[in-house]
Each structure stands twice: as C-alpha cells, then as structure tokens.
C-alpha cells in the first residue's frame, strides 16, 4: 500500500508520518519510508541524530544509477539519458518491491531500527544553497516518482511518503501514485484552505483523500474542522507529551505514546487497509502514461532530442507481484 502525508508547512505532517511508520513497524509490517519534502526532517523524526540524517544518501543525486537499473532491457528506452521522472515501465523494465535487495536500495536507502524492526528509509536530499537559482527541487523529487512508477507492492507492505508542503505536491504526477493520501490540517482558515486546494486538484484523478485534524485544542476546533471538511475528516489529534519529548531529543519508548494517539494510528492503518479493495492498477498505469505524455510534449522531447511517447508500452499494466501474470524484475 502506498500512503502519502501532505499538508501545509508546520501542520505536523512529518511528525504524523513518523508516528505512522513507527506504528507499522511495531505491527511487524514491512515499510519503505521516503522523505520527499523540501525540508528533510523525517530521518530525525524517526530517531536519527543530525549527523546520521545528514549522511543519508540523496536519492536525487543518484538518479543516473536509478535510471540505469530500472531501464533493464526495455527496448523502448534507448538509454538512461532519455529516461525522465515520468518514464513508465514496460516489457523488460526492472521493478522494485518493498521487501528485496537491489542496487537502488543499496545505493539510496539506509536501515532504521524501529520497535525491533528494520525500516528502509530513502530521502530525496535537501535543497541546498548551491541549488539556488540553478536547480528545481522537483527534479530531485522526480527520482521518487520514477521509483514509485516502477514499484509493485502488496496489501501487507507499505510505502509511506512524507510529501513536500502545500500545493507543491502537484508540480508532477507524483500525487496520483498513492492508494490513500492523508492531509494533515490544523483547525485554521489556512489549514482548511490547503485541504480545499488539494481536494479540488485531486478530484479529477480519483485521489482517495482523508483529513487528519492536528493541534486540536477542544470541541470548538473539532466542530470547525467538521464544518469545513465534512465527511473527509477521518479523526483529530491534540497535544502529545510523547511528541514534545521526541522533538526535544528526549525520545521515550513508543509503547508509552498516549492511548488516544495509539488508537488514532490504528484508525489510520485501518483506513489505509480499507482502500485495498479499490486498487485499480489499470487506472494507475493509465495516469502514469498520461503525465508522461504531458511531460514529453511540453518539455522533455525538446530536452532529450527524442520522441518520448515511444517509451510507452501499450500492452503493459503494472500489477502486484502475487497477481497472475504479474511482471517480474529482470
């Protein structure tokens, strides 16, 4: 299951992402965690110190390796240089799985021990001073999109992505890559404005969206969110002494997280599991191709000097590894 956490900056989406990842680890569920935010804080939220977090390999900086591996023997892709962030897989492409060893994970992922389980963590890499005026952060996030385009995952394994804040999530087709998106919203006008913007952008693509109200102080805050968000509101969260201790660098055992917050994480897990029956791999593949063709026409054909529409394999549909006839990595 592919899950995204989105919301405006400061809403608490990274904190909630990290709590959900810890919950899954405690439940002995395989997890691939991805920090795709422009501000890279997921690693420290998962317990790494600043030095360890800074030493994480940047996925965006290893894009040539990623492309070369995923291209495999796909005859429609002439070279790794002609692959772009939206290039879809086809016959001969190598696919990624949550639980496996491969050169992409070896180069770009690092293990994090959480609740006695090992979670893989990948990070796009920070937007640094050297990028100012010369680079687009979405080129780094494009490495995440390319990986998710080539990833096949099953019901009882999770990919959890901490997305970049606000409407920046819509700068590519990455927002369509998820089974369920949790939008973390504070009980403020700005908080619900981000929700409305996300809802309106996502409507035409069939995006499954649930709102998690955060930093809720009482019944009036709950009522405000219920009025503004309606049936998309899944649950609300208030202050947490456990989270405050973690943010001070004084982490407590995860089993000491407040009972109501533990229950909220179970509800997030249940909501994610319930979306499994709505999985539509044909739509997923169709949307992937849609954004690839848009990128090819708008800029990528001119940049690469190739007709990237020819990379689309019309007979190929991404599918779960356990499904009959599912594509296998080369």
């Amino acid at each position: 299951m592919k899950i995204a956490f989105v919301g405006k900056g400061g809403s608490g989406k990274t904190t909630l992402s990290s709590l959900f990842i810890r919950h899954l680890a405690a439940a002995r569920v395989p997890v691939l965690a991805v920090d795709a935010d422009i501000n890279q804080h997921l690693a420290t939220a998962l317990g790494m110190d600043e030095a360890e977090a800074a030493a994480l390999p940047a996925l965006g900086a290893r894009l040539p390796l990623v492309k070369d591996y995923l291209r495999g023997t796909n005859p429609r892709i002439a070279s790794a240089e002609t692959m772009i962030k939206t290039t879809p897989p086809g016959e001969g492409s190598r696919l990624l799985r949550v639980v496996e060893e491969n050169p992409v994970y070896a180069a770009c992922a690092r293990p994090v021990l959480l609740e006695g389980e090992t979670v893989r963590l990948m990070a796009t890499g920070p937007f640094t001073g050297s990028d100012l005026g010369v680079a687009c952060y979405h080129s780094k996030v494009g490495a995440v999109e390319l990986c998710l385009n080539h990833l096949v995952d099953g019901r009882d394994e999770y990919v959890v992505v901490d997305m970049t804040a606000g409407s920046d999530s819509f700068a590519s087709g990455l927002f369509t890559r998820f089974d369920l998106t949790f939008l973390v919203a504070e009980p403020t006008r700005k908080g619900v404005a981000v929700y409305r913007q996300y809802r309106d952008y996502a409507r035409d693509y069939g995006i499954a969206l649930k709102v998690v109200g955060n930093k809720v102080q009482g019944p009036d805050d709950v009522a405000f969110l219920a009025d503004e968000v309606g049936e998309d509101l899944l649950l609300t969260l208030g202050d947490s002494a456990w989270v405050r201790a973690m943010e001070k660098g004084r982490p407590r055992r995860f089993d000491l997280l407040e009972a109501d917050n533990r229950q909220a994480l179970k509800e997030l897990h249940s909501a994610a599991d319930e979306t499994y029956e709505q999985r539509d791999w044909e739509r997923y593949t169709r949307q992937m191709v849609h954004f690839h063709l848009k990128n090819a026409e708008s800029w990528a054909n001119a940049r690469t000097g190739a007709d990237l529409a020819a990379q689309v394999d019309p007979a190929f549909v991404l599918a779960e590894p356990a499904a009959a006839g599912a594509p296998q990595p080369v």
Side-chain angles (χ1 to χ4, degrees), residues 24 26 86 89 117 130 135 160 165 181 208 279 291 317:
L24 293 173
T86 52
E117 291 293 305
S130 63
V160 179
T181 295
R279 275 194 146 186
F291 282 103
V317 176

Side-chain angles (χ1 to χ4, degrees), residues 253-266:
R253 296 198 325 268
F254 186 62
D255 60 4
L256 296 178
L257 181 69
E258 298 87 354
D260 55 343
N261 288 327
R262 292 201 307 272
Q263 179 59 36
L265 294 174
K266 291 178 182 178

Side-chain angles (χ1 to χ4, degrees), residues 173-193:
L174 183 58
F175 73 97
T176 65
R177 300 276 73 90
F178 302 101
D179 295 290
L180 181 59
T181 295
F182 291 122
L183 189 144
V184 184
E186 297 171 85
T188 64
R189 287 190 296 174
K190 286 184 178 179
V192 298

Side-chain angles (χ1 to χ4, degrees), residues 214-217 237-244 258 260-261:
N214 196 29
K215 303 181 183 179
V216 169
Q217 299 297 316
L237 298 165
D239 289 334
S240 168
W242 192 97
V243 169
R244 285 199 302 276
E258 298 87 354
D260 55 343
N261 288 327

Side-chain angles (χ1 to χ4, degrees), residues 5-266:
F5 282 85
V6 301
K8 78 174 186 65
S11 64
K13 68 178 181 61
T14 298
T15 297
L16 195 54
S17 299
S18 70
L19 291 176
F20 188 58
I21 291 165
R22 287 179 183 272
H23 162 80
L24 293 173
R28 304 297 182 257
V29 176
V31 185
L32 172 63
V34 183
D35 191 346
D37 195 354
I38 192 169
N39 298 304
Q40 302 265 282
H41 297 309
L42 184 59
T44 53
L46 291 174
M48 284 188 170
D49 62 32
E50 295 292 341
E52 291 172 323
L56 282 172
L59 182 59
R62 288 158 177 79
L63 195 51
L65 178 150
V66 173
K67 290 180 177 180
D68 191 60
Y69 178 75
L70 296 178
R71 182 168 69 98
T73 59
N74 186 336
R76 295 175 178 272
I77 304 174
S79 67
E81 288 72 27
T82 60
M83 288 184 78
I84 61 173
K85 64 183 181 179
T86 52
T87 295
E91 186 68 30
S93 296
R94 291 191 179 99
L95 304 178
L96 302 175
R97 294 174 177 168
V98 174
V99 181
E100 68 170 0
E101 301 297 330
N102 61 56
V104 173
Y105 292 161
C108 305
R110 292 296 179 265
V112 182
L113 187 63
L114 298 172
E115 316 316 313
E117 291 293 305
T118 299
V119 170
R120 277 196 176 107
L121 173 62
M122 295 199 300
T124 60
F127 191 74
T128 64
S130 63
D131 294 321
L132 294 176
V134 296
C136 173
Y137 185 74
H138 301 112
S139 65
K140 297 184 177 182
V141 177
V144 177
E145 185 170 0
L146 193 60
C147 285
L148 292 191
N149 283 355
H150 289 74
L151 193 145
V152 286
D153 56 300
R155 180 173 197 156
D156 296 320
E157 50 191 20
Y158 273 75
V159 182
V160 179
V161 182
D162 180 20
M163 295 278 281
T164 193
S167 59
D168 247 15
S169 297
F170 292 95
S172 73
L174 183 58
F175 73 97
T176 65
R177 300 276 73 90
F178 302 101
D179 295 290
L180 181 59
T181 295
F182 291 122
L183 189 144
V184 184
E186 297 171 85
T188 64
R189 287 190 296 174
K190 286 184 178 179
V192 298
V194 170
Y195 155 73
R196 292 195 189 100
Q197 188 178 39
Y198 209 104
R199 177 200 61 193
D200 293 345
Y201 280 151
R203 181 181 293 143
D204 293 339
Y205 294 93
I207 305 303
L209 179 67
K210 290 294 181 183
V211 175
V212 179
N214 196 29
K215 303 181 183 179
V216 169
Q217 299 297 316
D220 185 64
D221 284 349
V222 175
F224 173 81
L225 285 169
D227 288 344
E228 298 291 333
V229 173
E231 63 183 14
D232 284 339
L233 182 62
L234 178 64
L235 55 87
T236 61
L237 298 165
D239 289 334
S240 168
W242 192 97
V243 169
R244 285 199 302 276
M246 178 190 71
E247 291 175 341
K248 292 175 181 176
R250 301 170 183 172
R252 302 172 180 175
R253 296 198 325 268
F254 186 62
D255 60 4
L256 296 178
L257 181 69
E258 298 87 354
D260 55 343
N261 288 327
R262 292 201 307 272
Q263 179 59 36
L265 294 174
K266 291 178 182 178

